[in-house]
Amino acid sequence: MNLKKQAHDLTYRIENNFFLTVIRRSLTMMIPFVLVGGFACAFINLPFIDYGSELFDGALGTLYSIFIFIYNGTFGLFSLALVIVITVSYCIEKNESPDKAAMYVMVALGAYGVQLNIGTSGFNFESLGVKSSFSAIFIALLSCFLYERLKRITAFSLKKYVSGMDVMCANSISSLLPMTFVVGVAVLINLLLHSFFGVKSVHELFSNLSCALFAHVHNRFFSGLLYTFLLHFF
């Protein structure tokens, strides 16, 4: 009975954990985004239609192109949208005002942009999609957490310089140093990952770890079992 109560208490703490609550609510917000992209994906990959036939030169071909655009505009930007939604959910949980929530979003996007390695050989458009969901969640939560803590430090808030300013302008100026620090931390993470693991981002590290995990499972049944377990566990 005591063991059952401990399991119940543990489950309760997990379900009410702040960060897990933010993730859960964020993924709930993403449901329309997922359904629209999933519908487009289902149409594009219908197994009983030959997309190379002459039939698709007409109206159906145009419809097919439309669904390609819809798929690329949803699942193609899934991780980017996830960063925004998680940040908004974080602000809702913290009862932040809309103008302050906008600052959180910009900080998270700045940190995530660093992880994408834009402008380098390490950038891949696929990293904006579903494959980078884990790194998007990690970077968004880390950015929000650090930004929130830094705002509380007087030296970072620049309060003596923003007195008398408009509220929107004051929030923007006050976010300058915290945002710089958070984005700098994202850069530092990339540099450390490259130095110690030879990867260029959190996504690449997680991807390599996942591949290494399944590489040691040679039996397809156990590989599928492990995948199913991890899918439901996470």
Side-chain angles (χ1 to χ4, degrees):
M1 187 66 180
N2 186 40
L3 182 62
K4 183 178 181 180
K5 185 179 183 303
Q6 290 178 350
H8 180 271
D9 292 341
L10 177 62
T11 303
Y12 179 81
R13 286 197 297 270
I14 291 175
E15 288 182 349
N16 291 276
N17 178 271
F18 174 79
F19 294 105
L20 293 181
T21 300
V22 170
I23 294 172
R24 183 168 62 246
R25 292 186 176 181
S26 300
L27 294 177
T28 302
M29 293 179 189
M30 291 287 289
I31 288 176
F33 200 78
V34 172
L35 290 179
V36 172
F39 179 75
C41 181
F43 180 85
I44 293 168
N45 294 284
L46 289 175
F48 51 84
I49 295 181
D50 180 14
Y51 297 108
S53 64
E54 295 181 359
L55 181 64
F56 278 85
D57 290 337
L60 284 179
T62 302
L63 186 62
Y64 176 75
S65 298
I66 290 174
F67 279 108
I68 286 288
F69 284 125
I70 293 174
Y71 176 80
N72 291 334
T74 51
F75 283 176
L77 296 174
F78 187 87
S79 293
L80 191 62
L82 193 56
V83 170
I84 297 173
V85 171
I86 284 180
T87 307
V88 171
S89 180
Y90 190 101
C91 293
I92 291 174
E93 289 298 312
K94 291 293 183 178
N95 295 315
E96 295 284 4
S97 60
D99 56 320
K100 292 182 179 179
M103 296 296 109
Y104 274 86
V105 172
M106 284 192 288
V107 170
L109 287 176
Y112 188 64
V114 170
Q115 286 291 310
L116 294 176
N117 293 297
I118 297 175
T120 70
S121 59
F123 174 68
N124 189 333
F125 277 105
E126 290 185 357
S127 58
L128 293 172
V130 182
K131 293 182 179 180
S132 296
S133 296
F134 176 82
S135 60
I137 293 172
F138 174 77
I139 292 299
L141 289 177
L142 178 64
S143 300
C144 291
F145 176 79
L146 289 177
Y147 179 68
E148 181 193 4
R149 292 299 184 273
L150 290 171
K151 284 201 310 173
R152 299 177 183 177
I153 302 175
T154 305
F156 279 91
S157 65
L158 301 175
K159 287 184 178 180
K160 63 180 180 179
Y161 298 103
V162 298
S163 59
M165 287 186 180
D166 175 74
V167 175
M168 296 289 290
C169 185
N171 286 335
S172 297
I173 299 300
S174 298
S175 300
L176 179 59
L177 291 182
M179 180 176 182
T180 302
F181 185 87
V182 172
V183 174
V185 169
V187 174
L188 181 61
I189 290 174
N190 276 10
L191 294 176
L192 290 175
L193 289 177
H194 184 67
S195 298
F196 289 99
F197 301 103
V199 297
K200 298 179 179 179
S201 65
V202 173
H203 164 63
E204 190 175 346
L205 175 65
F206 180 72
S207 178
N208 290 351
L209 290 175
S210 301
C211 292
L213 178 63
F214 285 93
H216 291 85
V217 183
H218 302 292
N219 186 292
R220 289 189 175 183
F221 171 76
F222 289 109
S223 178
L225 191 65
L226 176 62
Y227 174 80
T228 304
F229 169 76
L230 292 175
L231 179 67
H232 288 81
F233 177 77
F234 286 119

